[in-house]
């Protein structure tokens, strides 16, 4: 049967199993919006209030489910507004397909109304992108887009569809298979290398597992947990890897890096074998590369060969999916005679426990102001540590990472790579849409929340019972912290003057607003916000926190992992 | 060290800009770049000359392989190979220089492919170094125009860059 491009698009998404699509209409996608009205049977479109939020919401959906997020925006400003969201997904390797409308093919290149070179603008921030010039190519191009977004190292793919292609007719059949000669992601790690890695890890005297977002993306949390338990080695997670290993487990030494724990960073620094899995030796993790882990031999498992030996030269590289590689490592461990060096390991743990005893995450609990750390700890208690937590970017993000102990993967949704303020609320919307009955929290600050505050309206329209926990210190806290440390306390433009009354603002949108100011009432009021009373309501919880509090521990830029500022 | 990296790409619009964009975004050098279709019209062959440490070159090759439009990559410098570049150079040729340029062109096995009463255009093929050497021998004031194709190359013997 002949269908229009717009109808093919809708049918294809349904055949692909897409449940939700986040978007915003405009001139160049009107045919698709019409087809959504006439043809969509299962596909649910969510109307956001800004295209950036559409992308972050799809991203939050993807992070919390593992399925690709899907976005639909118009040409020109629709596409450029989406760019920050696409770049955010790209930096964190999130599977996503973003469909952009384009001016009719006959007008491309003529500076038409709302024309922009979307393929050109998004090229550096996508895994791949397409401009569909012929309606007969539409279905297969969409298939390729989903294939690319979800396999290998995942990432966003943009498909730009001119308006005349949406109107043109063609026959449609769901393409079951797609083959791309230039794209063959690795499906299996090299067995010889895996064997070598296991030998090296068993010979270690001061080993550490350093694991990242790749374990979450590769759904390998279970295998990782088994491996760590089998070996009995300490394990640290990157910011992106939190939840891939239970934070409450005693082998877990906390997050590493710039705001990582003392014990995690020192264990890395003094280790003799690092087992890096799905992590990429980011500058926020390694600190000064010249001082990085001087004695360590490094095993690195990653699906992307370009991540290996990019920043740090490794000794045993393994390119492959972490799940498969870990499974093979486990089976070798089952068979081998070689065992971990128990005596050395006991001494190593003794050392680590000594580092751990500094209790580097302690903070003053006696002040008259609410400490942001206390707010996150209270949040953990009232949500039983089992919420989906989206965050924005800044001090509150680090507090959430440090004090909300994630025990499950896909619970922690944050913009680790790009560090996008404004990510939290829409990401929480996406997670809530995917898990309607779950507790979904957006931990944010009064700066970040204002970067996508308009989404309070979307939350009302779709009845999304997200809970916003706003750590409001009246400062762009992380900027203020750096200005305090490195710019002689010249707080240039970091003070947030003329803040709105967030309680009234929430109420104006039809939501529930609360303010918490008294440390003594923190837990009680927070528990109320998360009680069954507000189970179906969006609640904005404005917590007035200590303005002067800083995120510790901290590794200053240029320093090594062993050169931390503790308090 | 200088590397000649050759690749087969899908013959699609935008493929070249993905390669060029990768180099500019990651701060890698491109000394020369040339691209043209192959006998298989679905493929283009792109050759570029770059330089960097071994680690940088390894990253460049990995990142090129990661581009979806790039089908296959080969660093020709890894093995014994042949490099060639074509140059057209237009010289101001009057008086006794007409005879001198003719002799020089012969020595370098170049051909004079266009002649006017005041100019010669010489075509020359060879390794880049040879073309550099020819330019060195000419008084800079007499060079009117130079155009070079950029290096192309193949592996010696049976080793090929093909699908």
């Amino acid at each position: 049967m002949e269908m229009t491009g717009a109808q093919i698009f809708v049918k294809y998404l349904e055949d692909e199993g897409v449940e939700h699509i986040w978007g915003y209409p405009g001139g160049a996608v009107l045919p698709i919006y019409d087809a959504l009205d006439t043809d969509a049977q299962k596909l649910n479109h969510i109307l956001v209030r800004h295209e950036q939020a559409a992308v972050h919401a799809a991203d939050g959906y993807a992070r919390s489910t593992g399925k690709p997020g899907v976005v639909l925006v118009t040409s020109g400003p629709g596409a450029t507004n989406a760019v920050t969201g696409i770049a955010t997904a790209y930096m964190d390797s999130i599977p996503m397909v973003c469909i952009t409308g384009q001016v009719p093919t006959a007008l491309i290149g003529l500076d038409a109304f709302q024309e922009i070179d979307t393929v050109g603008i998004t090229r550096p921030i996508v895994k791949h992108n397409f401009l569909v010039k012929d309606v007969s190519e539409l279905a297969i191009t969409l298939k390729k887009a989903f294939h690319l977004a979800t396999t290998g190292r995942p990432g966003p793919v943009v498909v730009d569809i001119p308006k005349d292609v949406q109107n043109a007719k063609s026959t449609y059949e769901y393409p079951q298979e797609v083959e791309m000669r230039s794209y063959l992601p690795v499906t299996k790690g090299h067995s010889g290398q895996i064997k070598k890695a296991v030998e090296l890890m068993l010979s270690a005297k001061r080993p550490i597992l350093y694991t990242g977002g790749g374990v979450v993306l590769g759904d390998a949390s279970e295998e990782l947990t088994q491996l760590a338990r089998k070996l009995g080695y300490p394990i640290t997670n990157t910011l992106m890897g939190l939840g891939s290993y239970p934070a409450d487990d005693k082998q877990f030494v906390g997050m590493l890096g710039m705001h990582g724990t003392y014990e995690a960073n020192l264990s890395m620094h003094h280790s003799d074998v690092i087992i890096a899995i799905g992590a990429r030796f980011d500058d926020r993790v390694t600190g000064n590369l010249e001082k990085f882990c001087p004695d360590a031999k490094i095993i690195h498992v990653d699906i992307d060969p370009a991540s290996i030996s990019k920043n740090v030269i490794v000794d045993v590289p393994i390119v492959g999916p972490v799940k498969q590689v870990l499974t093979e490592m486990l089976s070798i461990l089952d068979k081998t005679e070689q065992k971990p060096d128990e005596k050395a390991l006991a001494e190593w743990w003794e050392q680590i426990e000594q580092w751990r005893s500094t209790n580097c995450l302690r903070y003053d609990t006696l002040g008259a102001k609410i400490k942001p750390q206390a707010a996150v700890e209270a949040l953990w208690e009232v949500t039983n540590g089992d919420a989906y937590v989206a965050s924005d970017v800044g001090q509150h993000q680090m507090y959430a990472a440090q004090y909300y102990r994630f025990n499950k993967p896909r619970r922690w949704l944050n913009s680790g790579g790009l560090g996008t303020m404004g990510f939290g609320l829409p990401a929480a919307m996406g997670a809530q849409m995917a898990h309607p009955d779950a507790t979904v929290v957006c931990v944010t600050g009064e700066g970040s929340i204002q970067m996508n505050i308009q989404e309070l309206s979307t939350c009302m329209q779709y009845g999304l019972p997200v809970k916003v926990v706003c750590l409001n210190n009246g400062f762009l806290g992380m900027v203020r912290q750096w200005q305090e440390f490195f710019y002689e306390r010249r707080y240039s433009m970091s003070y947030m003057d003329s803040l709105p009354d967030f309680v009234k603002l929430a109420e104006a949108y039809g939501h529930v607003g609360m303010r918490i100011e008294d440390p003594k009432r923190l837990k009680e009021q927070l528990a109320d916000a998360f009680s069954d009373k507000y189970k179906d309501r969006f609640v904005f919880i404005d917590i007035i926190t200590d303005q002067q509090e800083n995120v510790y521990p901290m590794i200053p830029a240029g320093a090594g992992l062993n050169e931390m500022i503790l308090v | 060290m200088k590397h000649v990296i050759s690749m087969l790409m899908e013959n699609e619009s935008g493929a070249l800009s993905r390669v060029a964009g990768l180099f500019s975004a990651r701060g890698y050098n491109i000394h020369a770049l040339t691209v043209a279709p192959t006998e298989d019209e679905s493929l283009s062959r792109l050759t570029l000359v770059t330089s960097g440490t071994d680690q940088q070159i390894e990253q460049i090759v990995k990142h090129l392989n990661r581009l979806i439009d790039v089908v296959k990559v080969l660093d020709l410098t890894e093995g014994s190979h042949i490099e060639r570049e074509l140059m057209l150079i237009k010289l101001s040729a009057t008086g006794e220089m007409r005879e001198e340029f003719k002799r020089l062109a012969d020595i370098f096995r170049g051909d004079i492919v266009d002649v006017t009463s005041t100019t010669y255009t010489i075509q020359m093929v060879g390794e880049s170094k040879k073309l550099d050497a020819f330019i060195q021998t000419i008084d800079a004031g007499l060079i009117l125009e130079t155009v070079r194709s950029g290096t192309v190359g193949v592996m010696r013997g049976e080793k090929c860059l093909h699908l």
Side-chain angles (χ1 to χ4, degrees):
Chain A
M1 195 183 81
E2 286 232 316
M3 297 165 82
T4 66
Q7 288 173 313
I8 290 173
F9 173 80
V10 171
K11 184 79 172 78
Y12 174 84
L13 291 191
E14 295 204 328
D15 289 347
E16 185 62 45
V18 175
E19 307 167 275
H20 304 297
I21 174 167
W22 281 267
Y24 205 100
V29 280
L30 280 173
I32 291 179
Y33 272 86
D34 193 51
L36 280 171
D37 192 67
T38 57
D39 285 41
Q41 288 166 3
K42 297 171 280 182
L43 189 61
N44 175 37
H45 179 279
I46 299 119
L47 176 69
V48 293
R49 300 297 182 267
H50 187 289
E51 288 89 350
Q52 184 190 346
V55 189
H56 291 327
D59 182 322
Y61 171 86
R63 286 179 206 241
S64 69
T65 61
K67 297 180 206 165
V70 185
V71 181
L72 173 61
V73 296
T74 192
S75 64
T80 54
N81 277 347
V83 163
T84 299
I86 298 168
T88 303
Y90 181 68
M91 287 294 277
D92 290 341
S93 307
I94 304 303
M96 174 184 290
V97 175
C98 180
I99 294 97
T100 53
Q102 185 53 280
V103 301
T105 40
L107 295 185
I108 289 177
L110 301 180
D111 302 319
F113 177 64
Q114 292 194 328
E115 181 190 357
I116 201 78
D117 174 11
T118 303
V119 165
I121 281 186
T122 57
R123 190 175 295 125
I125 53 162
V126 293
K127 186 166 170 184
H128 197 57
N129 56 18
F130 298 95
L131 170 64
V132 183
K133 288 183 181 154
D134 187 329
V135 67
S136 66
E137 296 284 312
L138 179 57
I140 191 69
T141 305
L142 289 167
K143 183 76 186 175
K144 284 180 186 171
F146 276 86
H147 176 60
L148 289 169
T150 54
T151 55
R153 179 177 182 171
V157 177
V158 166
V159 184
D160 200 26
I161 312 178
K163 195 172 183 180
D164 57 320
V165 174
Q166 298 169 31
N167 285 324
K169 289 192 167 179
S170 175
T171 53
Y172 168 76
E173 194 180 342
Y174 177 72
Q176 297 291 344
E177 300 274 324
V178 65
E179 212 173 297
M180 299 177 76
R181 63 180 171 185
S182 62
Y183 177 71
L184 301 162
V186 183
T187 53
K188 198 178 168 310
H190 188 278
S191 292
Q193 288 291 94
I194 296 173
K195 211 162 145 256
K196 225 165 107 185
V198 172
E199 280 165 20
L200 178 58
M201 65 176 88
L202 286 173
S203 73
K205 300 206 179 302
R206 299 184 309 281
I208 184 155
L209 287 148
Y210 148 58
T211 73
V215 177
V216 179
L217 293 165
D219 286 319
S221 174
E222 209 180 300
E223 291 78 4
L224 172 67
T225 307
Q226 278 182 40
L227 180 79
R229 298 243 163 97
K230 203 178 269 277
L231 293 167
Y233 293 175
I235 175 166
T236 177
N237 283 167
T238 68
L239 178 68
M240 294 306 298
L242 294 174
S244 61
Y245 188 84
D248 283 337
D249 188 271
K250 64 179 188 325
Q251 278 173 248
F252 186 63
V253 293
M255 179 172 79
L256 81 165
M258 183 171 274
H259 294 296
T261 65
Y262 187 61
E263 52 271 33
N265 285 333
L266 285 192
S267 300
M268 282 290 283
H269 186 81
H270 293 283
S271 65
D272 69 342
V273 174
I274 292 171
I275 305 147
I277 302 166
R280 60 185 178 91
F281 297 85
D282 177 81
D283 56 280
R284 284 292 188 272
V285 155
T286 60
N288 187 334
L289 282 172
E290 282 173 19
K291 300 176 182 173
F292 181 72
C293 303
D295 305 326
K297 288 228 184 290
I298 301 174
I299 297 161
H300 190 185
V301 184
D302 205 291
I303 189 122
D304 180 7
S307 279
I308 291 177
S309 293
K310 179 176 67 177
N311 298 336
V312 172
I313 306 285
V314 306
D315 301 280
V316 185
I318 301 170
V319 179
V322 287
K323 197 179 179 79
Q324 180 273 328
V325 174
L326 286 171
T327 306
E328 194 164 328
M329 283 178 172
L330 284 166
S331 95
I332 297 174
L333 280 171
D334 276 339
K335 288 175 218 145
T336 180
E337 303 278 292
Q338 201 186 347
K339 294 283 170 250
D341 183 340
E342 294 297 338
K343 187 167 163 287
L345 197 57
E347 281 169 28
W348 180 225
W349 269 114
E350 199 176 318
Q351 172 66 73
I352 292 169
E353 290 306 332
Q354 198 185 326
W355 290 325
R356 178 136 61 184
S357 68
T358 59
N359 193 13
C360 68
L361 293 179
R362 71 189 181 281
Y363 57 92
D364 170 26
T365 50
L366 301 171
K369 290 274 187 185
I370 294 175
K371 290 287 179 184
Q373 301 94 323
V376 175
E377 286 196 315
L379 175 67
W380 191 90
E381 283 181 43
V382 303
T383 56
N384 300 314
D386 202 26
Y388 289 86
V389 179
S391 93
D392 273 301
V393 170
Q395 285 186 322
H396 65 268
Q397 177 191 24
M398 292 300 116
Y399 293 132
Q402 292 173 326
Y403 295 91
Y404 198 99
R405 303 186 306 280
F406 293 92
N407 286 318
K408 294 177 189 166
R410 300 201 177 279
R411 293 299 168 108
W412 168 235
L413 322 171
N414 91 124
S415 169
L418 196 65
T420 308
M421 291 170 71
F423 172 81
L425 177 57
M429 290 171 7
Q432 187 78 75
M433 198 56 99
H435 310 278
D437 299 322
T439 303
V440 178
V441 186
C442 166
V443 175
T444 183
E446 78 293 337
S448 284
I449 191 66
Q450 291 190 84
M451 285 212 187
N452 265 320
I453 191 82
Q454 76 287 344
E455 297 308 314
L456 289 179
S457 175
T458 310
C459 290
M460 177 43 71
Q461 183 173 349
Y462 295 93
L464 297 171
V466 170
K467 307 292 183 285
V468 171
V469 173
C470 179
L471 304 179
N472 184 346
N473 64 356
F475 269 108
L476 300 177
M478 193 57 95
V479 174
R480 190 205 60 76
Q481 177 168 343
W482 281 58
Q483 289 172 334
E484 179 186 328
F485 289 1
F486 310 118
Y487 297 91
E488 297 172 332
R489 297 175 191 249
R490 285 185 298 276
Y491 297 130
S492 177
M493 298 295 147
S494 56
Y495 182 64
M496 294 295 275
D497 209 355
S498 304
L499 285 173
D501 180 331
F502 287 112
V503 173
K504 283 189 186 155
L505 186 69
E507 287 169 359
Y509 277 102
H511 298 307
V512 179
M514 288 184 185
R515 181 162 298 114
I516 307 181
E517 287 179 272
D518 181 357
K520 292 190 200 72
R521 296 197 57 209
L522 169 65
K523 209 172 291 175
E524 166 207 335
Q525 284 184 281
L526 207 52
D528 184 49
F530 283 87
S531 69
D532 280 351
K533 189 163 52 168
Y534 299 116
K535 195 176 182 312
D536 301 321
R537 298 300 303 275
F538 180 103
V539 185
F540 193 111
I541 308 146
D542 189 27
I543 305 181
I544 310 302
T545 60
D546 187 346
Q547 295 202 304
Q548 302 302 322
E549 192 57 38
N550 289 321
V551 180
Y552 296 111
M554 179 171 180
I555 299 173
L561 290 184
N562 58 335
E563 299 168 312
M564 307 186 75
I565 305 172
L566 279 178
V567 180
Chain B
M1 193 190 137
K2 194 188 85 169
H3 284 252
V4 181
I5 298 175
S6 201
M7 71 205 77
L8 291 169
M9 323 188 288
E10 298 290 355
N11 193 3
E12 304 226 359
S13 66
L16 172 61
S17 65
R18 291 180 205 278
V19 174
L22 165 67
F23 275 72
S24 63
R26 294 194 182 266
Y28 303 139
N29 298 313
I30 297 183
H31 299 305
L33 183 150
T34 173
V35 59
T38 64
E39 77 287 357
D40 175 348
E41 61 185 30
S42 72
L43 289 171
S44 303
R45 181 154 171 162
L46 183 151
T47 311
L48 60 83
V49 181
T50 184
S51 59
T53 61
D54 286 353
Q55 197 194 346
Q56 283 165 336
I57 299 296
E58 192 183 322
Q59 278 296 312
I60 288 173
V61 171
K62 285 174 175 176
H63 279 292
L64 286 169
N65 272 312
R66 210 164 75 146
L67 294 175
I68 307 296
D69 282 339
V70 171
V71 185
K72 208 162 185 185
V73 182
L74 184 62
D75 181 355
L76 297 178
T77 329
E78 272 180 1
S80 176
H81 66 283
I82 298 165
E83 283 175 42
R84 290 293 181 270
E85 186 174 4
L86 172 85
M87 174 170 73
L88 295 173
I89 183 166
K90 193 180 286 182
L91 304 172
S92 169
T94 52
E96 60 189 27
M97 293 315 289
R98 290 179 82 80
E99 199 47 38
E100 175 64 13
F101 285 151
K102 171 96 175 62
R103 271 198 301 273
L104 272 175
D106 285 345
I107 292 167
F108 279 84
R109 288 195 233 163
D111 297 319
I112 298 173
V113 292
D114 185 58
V115 179
T116 69
S117 57
T118 54
T119 66
Y120 278 171
T121 298
I122 298 171
Q123 167 189 302
M124 193 170 289
V125 174
E127 288 193 18
S128 301
K129 281 181 294 193
K130 172 180 147 179
L131 307 186
D132 294 342
F134 182 74
I135 291 171
Q136 291 287 316
T137 63
I138 312 281
D139 177 351
L142 298 177
I143 300 177
L144 299 174
E145 193 178 349
T146 310
V147 54
R148 297 169 68 154
S149 65
T151 296
V152 294
V154 289
M155 282 294 196
R156 285 188 184 274
E158 288 180 359
K159 189 163 185 190
C160 294
L161 176 61
H162 59 67
L163 294 191

